[in-house]
Amino acid sequence: LNRFDRDNETFTQFRFSDSLCLDIELNQISAITQDRVGALWLATNKGGVIRFVPGRNGQKGSSYTCINCNARENLRFTGDIHADDKFIWVAVKAGLLRIGQENLQQTLFPVYTKHPEAIALESDSSITSIYEANDGHLWLGNTSGLNYFNKLTGKYVHYPHHYAVFR
């Protein structure tokens, strides 16, 4: 992870201790978001999510917490990460993972191909993008179309590619 200082036109490089999560590749950061208190949430290709609070002087004063490290295959990161006022939303292979910013509690909103209220995904299709709508709920993109996720009910509405967009 690198931070660019515009005033000095220099980079500060942050490295993670190998003792935190031994079996993951922390240097492969795929997506970043920032929460309301300034912590960075980093989604890694193979190792889950890292909550990182950078120190003002590079490595000194920095802290990080590895969340969902050494995740099972179905909880591996697949595309995007998003922060709202209370939660971090992470696209994982099995669906949408919600992580509490304060207590780090995790809740999975699974995606089943045969469940009537879930997104009708193909087995190789995962959520690749997350966007917060004006109403506070989430739009989710994947290879089978567009999906609307109601954060209050935990239910999905799927709009497949062939949906009557231009009718």
Side-chain angles (χ1 to χ4, degrees), residues 68-81:
N68 199 30
C69 292
N70 301 318
R72 297 185 316 268
E73 180 66 26
N74 66 335
L75 293 180
R76 294 280 171 94
F77 172 74
T78 59
D80 204 357
I81 187 169

Side-chain angles (χ1 to χ4, degrees), residues 28-99:
Q28 293 186 7
I29 298 169
S30 298
I32 302 173
T33 193
Q34 190 170 33
D35 66 22
R36 65 186 179 342
V37 297
L40 296 176
W41 293 77
L42 315 170
T44 66
N45 284 348
K46 297 182 180 177
V49 176
I50 300 166
R51 182 181 186 275
F52 178 68
V53 180
R56 296 201 182 273
N57 299 319
Q59 289 291 105
K60 293 185 179 185
S62 297
S63 66
Y64 55 95
T65 305
C66 195
I67 302 155
N68 199 30
C69 292
N70 301 318
R72 297 185 316 268
E73 180 66 26
N74 66 335
L75 293 180
R76 294 280 171 94
F77 172 74
T78 59
D80 204 357
I81 187 169
H82 173 76
D84 65 19
D85 288 341
K86 295 180 183 177
F87 301 103
I88 302 300
W89 298 89
V90 184
V92 295
K93 189 171 183 179
L96 192 60
L97 182 65
R98 181 181 72 189
I99 303 171

